[in-house]
Amino acid sequence: MRYVSTRGGAPVLGFDDVLLSGPAVDGGLYVPESWPRLPPHELDGWAKLTYPELLTRVVAPYVDGALASSELGRLAAAAYAGFHHAEVAPLVPLGEGEWLLELFWGPTLSFKDYALALVGRLLDEVLARRGRRATVLGATSGDTGSAAIEALRDRPSVEVFILHPHGRISEVQRRQMTTVTSANVHNLAIEGTFDDCQDLVKALFADAACREELGLAAVNSINWARIMAQTAYYVWAALRAGAPRRQVAFAVPTGNFGNAYAGYAAASMGLPVARLVVGSNRNHGISRFIETGTLSIEEVVPTVTPAMDIQVPSNLERLLFDACERDGQEVARLMGRFREEGELSLPAEQMATVRRLFSATWLDDGAIRAAVAAAYRELGRLIDPHTAVGVAAGRAHRTGAGVPLVTVATAHPAKFPDAVEGATGVRPELPDWLSDLLAREERMEVLPNDRTVVESFIRSRAAA
Ligand SMILES: *Cc1c(COP(=O)(O)O)cnc(C)c1O
């Protein structure tokens, strides 16, 4: 498979180079040159496969030319072996024709483990073959950082630097990162906001010398490999909910639009997806875009769903690329306008294509708490506030009882215990394997929001 930039002005790359690169040099994001098709006659048989076996079938065309499918299978088996549920990604009934896809059985309790466990193995494999090391650099508002650290700890090929906003993430989230004391893991607590962290990371990636000398690699969802790994659980869940004989709808709580876009990728591969319902919190740039066709910049407000406190969803650019019939120059023009004027709009015909698949809803904190409380009262289930956004959004756009609705549960309730307890009166408990988390020793470096200081810290410890 070859990969092209959404802005049409960067070299075409193979999978291994896309895996190791950050954004494309023209500022765009890499996407596959064409969508591979799921084989319609084999899908029935795929329902019997284990999760890593199914992932290998779904993902193999995307790594073609870089990895043989037998190697991919070996890496996938290893990636999910330590997950804490026999099925890896169980689909559990929620109500009449409604299901919850539980993606919180990985080591750090969020769906980000499902992508990063595989991406970590892929990075290690590709780097080992090249006899190279890389410096993985990322900013986190909580969940990406811990999943990346867990996936990359003690891997000989990488040094990992994760920036988080000092004092602005939950204690569970912080400790899931700072209690990992592997020598190749560096937690940088930045005196600033998540946006400041993200700006520091972007500045280092944008500096060609820095990128080259440090061998920078990205682990946020601008990295195509993350999206690719996530397409697997859409296929997995759909096969369990009645596909390929029936269409299946999905509801997805959204921040950077990576998870929902992976659902779109699965649909583009031929999975019978009736609808993708996107749920947002008060930072509802993406929902407004789907409803109105216009994306505009607004200030980020903190909510009970911090992993979704994002106004400008990076992966929307990948959807725009298809909506613009893969015209990179048109996407470059739209994104240029967005940068200059803080607003971009798609014409009505193109929005009609987007809305054939996508619907959107947003919830304020009161409505999110009410959705957490309702799930407990009516279904006897504790769900985390991000998942609750998905459940409520899915119900708001229910297409009818004949179409099964799968909500993607993105975090374990114990990852956000205060919000869950506030809504239900019940404090969710951490699973056994994390029960001593609050007692473990922490290690992190507190640094000012200053590019020079951060860069020299990284340089002094980076992979050569
Ligand atoms: C990251 C995250 C999200 C948002 O996912 P995107 O791919 O950024 O849309 C939702 N819920 C939780 C718990 C997360 O960690």
Side-chain angles (χ1 to χ4, degrees):
M1 176 65 76
R2 288 148 44 99
Y3 290 84
V4 297
S5 164
T6 49
R7 298 191 195 174
V12 174
L13 300 180
F15 173 76
D16 41 355
D17 286 316
V18 166
L19 174 70
L20 295 178
S21 79
V25 289
D26 61 359
L29 303 180
Y30 276 104
V31 289
E33 196 168 44
S34 62
W35 292 113
R37 302 296 293 177
L38 296 168
H41 304 297
E42 289 173 35
L43 281 183
D44 269 332
W46 286 14
K48 298 186 199 74
L49 302 175
T50 64
Y51 186 79
E53 286 168 351
L54 177 81
L55 177 140
T56 303
R57 305 290 168 96
V58 175
V59 164
Y62 291 119
V63 302
D64 190 31
L67 274 177
S69 93
S70 56
E71 285 163 302
L72 176 65
R74 183 176 53 78
L75 297 176
Y80 302 103
F83 280 43
H84 298 269
H85 194 289
E87 288 177 62
V88 179
L91 187 71
V92 303
L94 193 63
E96 189 60 37
E98 261 188 277
W99 307 82
L100 209 54
L101 175 62
E102 294 185 347
L103 298 180
F104 48 67
W105 295 101
T108 72
L109 309 181
S110 90
F111 81 100
K112 296 198 170 73
D113 287 324
Y114 288 72
L116 285 162
L118 183 71
V119 171
R121 305 263 167 183
L122 289 167
L123 273 174
D124 213 30
E125 174 74 22
V126 167
L127 288 164
R129 285 189 194 179
R130 296 185 177 192
R132 260 193 55 199
R133 302 190 74 225
T135 302
V136 166
L137 177 61
T140 188
S141 58
D143 296 335
T144 295
S146 55
I149 287 171
E150 201 55 53
L152 295 168
R153 63 189 294 178
D154 303 317
R155 302 234 158 254
S157 59
V158 287
E159 291 292 321
V160 187
F161 295 83
I162 300 294
L163 282 59
H164 73 262
H166 187 39
R168 292 177 197 244
I169 61 175
S170 82
E171 183 176 16
V172 171
Q173 288 179 317
R174 186 189 72 242
R175 285 182 161 274
Q176 283 183 323
M177 299 193 284
T178 57
T179 60
V180 175
T181 52
S182 305
N184 72 330
V185 169
H186 310 275
N187 280 292
L188 278 54
I190 302 295
E191 293 171 321
T193 63
F194 170 65
D195 286 333
D196 294 330
C197 295
Q198 186 126 0
D199 287 346
L200 288 165
V201 168
K202 280 189 189 152
L204 295 176
F205 268 102
D207 179 336
C210 211
R211 191 163 155 159
E212 195 60 32
E213 288 160 29
L214 297 172
L216 291 183
V219 283
N220 54 2
S221 57
I222 62 168
N223 190 322
W224 164 259
R226 260 184 73 171
I227 307 290
M228 164 192 99
Q230 290 173 226
T231 58
Y233 54 68
Y234 285 94
V235 180
W236 166 266
L239 294 179
R240 272 157 189 72
R245 267 175 286 277
R246 294 157 106 179
Q247 290 217 314
V248 178
F250 287 93
V252 191
T254 301
N256 242 337
F257 197 59
N259 197 0
Y261 177 78
Y264 166 83
S268 302
M269 294 171 77
L271 190 71
V273 177
R275 190 138 289 280
L276 278 167
V277 183
V278 168
S280 316
N281 60 27
R282 276 183 58 208
N283 303 295
H284 42 52
I286 184 70
S287 293
R288 282 196 319 273
F289 172 77
I290 289 168
E291 283 169 354
T292 65
T294 298
L295 180 71
S296 52
I297 297 187
E298 296 202 7
E299 208 180 324
V300 175
V301 293
T303 71
V304 290
T305 46
M308 294 158 53
D309 289 348
I310 295 172
Q311 279 286 9
V312 180
S314 318
N315 283 289
L316 180 60
E317 179 163 345
R318 290 187 157 120
L319 182 67
L320 293 179
F321 184 60
D322 277 1
C324 296
E325 287 167 14
R326 308 206 133 210
D327 179 347
Q329 284 181 353
E330 179 62 12
V331 174
R333 196 187 60 77
L334 284 170
M335 297 311 295
R337 254 193 78 189
F338 185 63
R339 199 177 49 241
E340 279 153 28
E341 295 165 25
E343 191 169 293
L344 71 80
S345 292
L346 267 197
E349 324 81 271
Q350 289 162 3
M351 279 314 297
T353 333
V354 170
R355 292 193 195 106
R356 267 209 288 279
L357 198 56
F358 285 100
S359 305
T361 294
W362 69 273
L363 284 78
D364 64 17
D365 275 2
I368 297 173
R369 287 198 192 92
V372 174
Y376 185 59
R377 201 174 53 238
E378 292 161 18
L379 308 163
R381 277 205 64 124
L382 290 178
I383 58 173
D384 107 281
H386 303 80
T387 302
V389 170
V391 170
R395 289 185 172 179
H397 289 276
R398 195 74 203 267
T399 38
V403 180
L405 170 65
V406 175
T407 297
V408 181
T410 51
H412 191 287
K415 198 149 192 182
F416 301 93
D418 297 336
V420 174
E421 184 177 25
T424 63
V426 181
R427 193 161 183 88
E429 284 190 24
L430 283 169
D432 294 346
W433 77 89
L434 279 172
S435 57
D436 67 338
L437 183 70
L438 300 183
R440 293 181 197 164
E441 188 193 333
E442 289 190 81
R443 199 176 70 194
M444 64 183 181
E445 201 74 38
V446 180
L447 293 178
N449 173 24
D450 180 311
R451 146 112 199 236
T452 316
V453 176
V454 171
E455 182 177 337
S456 66
F457 181 89
I458 293 174
R459 279 185 182 276
S460 68
R461 290 162 176 80

